[in-house]
Amino acid sequence: MTSATHSSAFPSGAGTGAADADAVLLGLDPEQREVATTLRGPVCVLAGAGTGKTRAITHRIAYGVQSGQLMPASVLAVTFTNRAAGEMRGRLRTLGAGGVQARTFHSAALRQLQYFWPRAVGGEVPRLLERKIQFVAEAGSRCRIRLDRNELRDVTGEIEWAKVTQTVPADYPAAALKAGREAPRDMAEIAQIYGTYEQLKRDRGMIDFEDVLLLTVGILQDRHDIAEQIRTQYQHFVVDEYQDVSPLQQRLLELWLGDRDNLCVVGDASQTIYSFTGATPDHLLNFRTRFPQATVVKLVRDYRSTPQVVHLANGLLNQAKGRAAEHRLELVSQREAGPDPLYAEYPDEPAEAEGVAHRIRDLIAAGVPAGEIAVLYRINAQSEVYEQALADAGVPYQLRGAERFFERAEVQKAVLALRGAARSAGNDPLLEDVVELGSQVRAVLSSTGWSSEPPAGSGAVRDQWESLAALVRLAEDFARSRPGATLADLTVELEERKAAQHAPTVQGVTLASLHAAKGLEWDAVFLVGLTDGMMPITYAKTDEQVEEERRLLYVGVTRARMHLTLSWALSRAPGGRASRRPSRFLNGLRPGSAAPGSRPGSPEGHGPRKRGRRGPALCRVCGRTLTEAGDIKLMRCEDCPSDMDEGLYERLREWRAAQSKDQGLPAYCVFTDKTLMAIAEAAPSEAGELSMISGVGGRKLDRYGADVLAICAGQEPGGEDPDDA
């Protein structure tokens, strides 16, 4: 930290005259120029995707320095990632303003904490805890609460959320409940672990990254002399990505600022996608309330994307609801026209991945560099099928923000378990009397933490489940393509797939989640897996959560400069039931779809029918659109009244138990409980009606259909009427 007495020295090379200052403004559009030349008082820049916000704020700082209105050492620019801060510093150096501090919130706070700690507290600054997960594990152990690796990550995330929202351990359960958090463990247990974690750090003289902000806030609140020294040093503040500030970061900013108003904030409420970490756009949206005299500049000229891409992005936001939607920006493309976005429907996920890989190969052949192409998906578990498809097509790729599928710890553990079960052949008690390969895989993976039902909410536990579920699906597809295949055959297949994906991929197509793609851009973007249940994700329950999913898709769309493809698959596996429907966010945007608000199920709402294509599943009781798999199976909302024939349901269960015993299969491999409930509610009288029930595929219809229809008709399986027996 440079003391205030040194901040008055003007660095050589800065403030060199009006000519240099005017040169900084060359090439800026009228709105960017207004940002650059408004150097006093509060300024709020509402900047849409691709509108040159970084250019505007770096030229603003450089113009102030070159014109002599700002001293470099008096400016503090803060953003959220080291990459963004580094880019900002590089641009400022190029513009002749290299003496300006451009840092992340944590970096700026740590620098101040290290400088003022001896004076404010005394002694040495506590050591910084780089990885808190080990301390969280020890805290859990001391509380006699066992956490697996993924629960550790999720509980650590909850502690981070509590700290950035300035919630102490005792208040965590009430605060988490009020915020609608999907806690990975009992909230009282998390509060206990949180409190023990804090005590462990104190005992060992350690602080974590959130403490850096908390302690800096504490010092500035308690020591007015130190707060004044910082305020004397820094006269002007610039905050990038202001929609992502947490309450704790906002409090630190307020203490830096004091009663002054030389603050420029830049953000876009429509790109708020990190609320689960404590980020909120409220500070951006409330800026004019706090500073009624603020200059507000809207950047809407999009220099990144073609008019066709921008039109789709605007269309997405036009359907949005909520406070952020009220402040949406209508972008105007500054580029020449390009190709229309492509919408592609596929019968199943492997076909979708193969189609995307072939389209990518065509783009590369047409001259688009592989490094300028991205495939973006909602969750990392979706990557495996695209890794495989690109490898099969000979297209290099690189994963961003996630391990390759076969390098994930849970997948490695699962493959080891499968290999061990294959070696033990018939001696594994887990596989006793289990003959079907898919059932064997499910049985083995159940010992590694997999279950047939997903855990509630998001987070690391859900991510782990999704990876294992993808492995189960992969095994089922392999068994379908190789009748009679054994566990040993499957493990060989898995090893071959893993080996095929070790090719050098540095210059390849980017595979990334939508969250990891924020702040990046490519010539060509493929948005894949766009079905209801994935986009929006199935655990987005509230209106606010669904709207954040829409904003996430908006971020994905606006990553594309020219080529944009949006795709979905009607079923998971080849030959599966075409029960999925395209994301509701595309209604009214993709060809042949009705705008939101039109009656679901109306013919005009779905365009020309394709093979096996169905409209959205509707609750047969209340008429609402169904998105949960279990609800779709029952064709009603879970909380809607059931008209199930209880006697029929029990007869079906008894029959299933007999089938399970005779065939040596788990009962769910015959029919799941939900499928039996759906059958008992529908009481089908002929094969066509039975085949319409989710969970009754063609194979099961052939194998069990006659028995089930007989039971529904009040007969014994085989056609004999019990009254005649």
Side-chain angles (χ1 to χ4, degrees), residues 61-74:
I61 295 169
Y63 176 75
V65 170
Q66 298 287 14
S67 65
Q69 298 180 65
L70 299 179
M71 293 180 292
S74 73

Side-chain angles (χ1 to χ4, degrees), residues 549-589:
E549 292 287 299
R550 189 194 307 275
R551 294 195 295 271
L552 189 57
L553 181 57
Y554 172 78
V555 166
V557 167
T558 55
R559 298 312 93 195
R561 298 191 190 105
M562 182 179 297
H563 304 281
L564 178 62
T565 301
L566 304 94
S567 64
W568 57 91
L570 296 177
S571 67
R572 182 190 63 76
R577 290 169 60 82
S579 57
R580 294 175 175 178
R581 65 188 181 103
S583 170
R584 70 191 78 165
F585 297 149
L586 300 181
N587 288 347
L589 301 175

Side-chain angles (χ1 to χ4, degrees), residues 294-317:
T295 299
V296 178
V297 184
K298 294 183 179 181
L299 301 184
V300 297
R301 300 174 196 253
D302 188 325
Y303 298 95
R304 175 188 299 159
S305 304
T306 62
Q308 288 76 10
V309 172
V310 167
H311 178 72
L312 175 57
N314 287 336
L316 268 176
L317 291 190

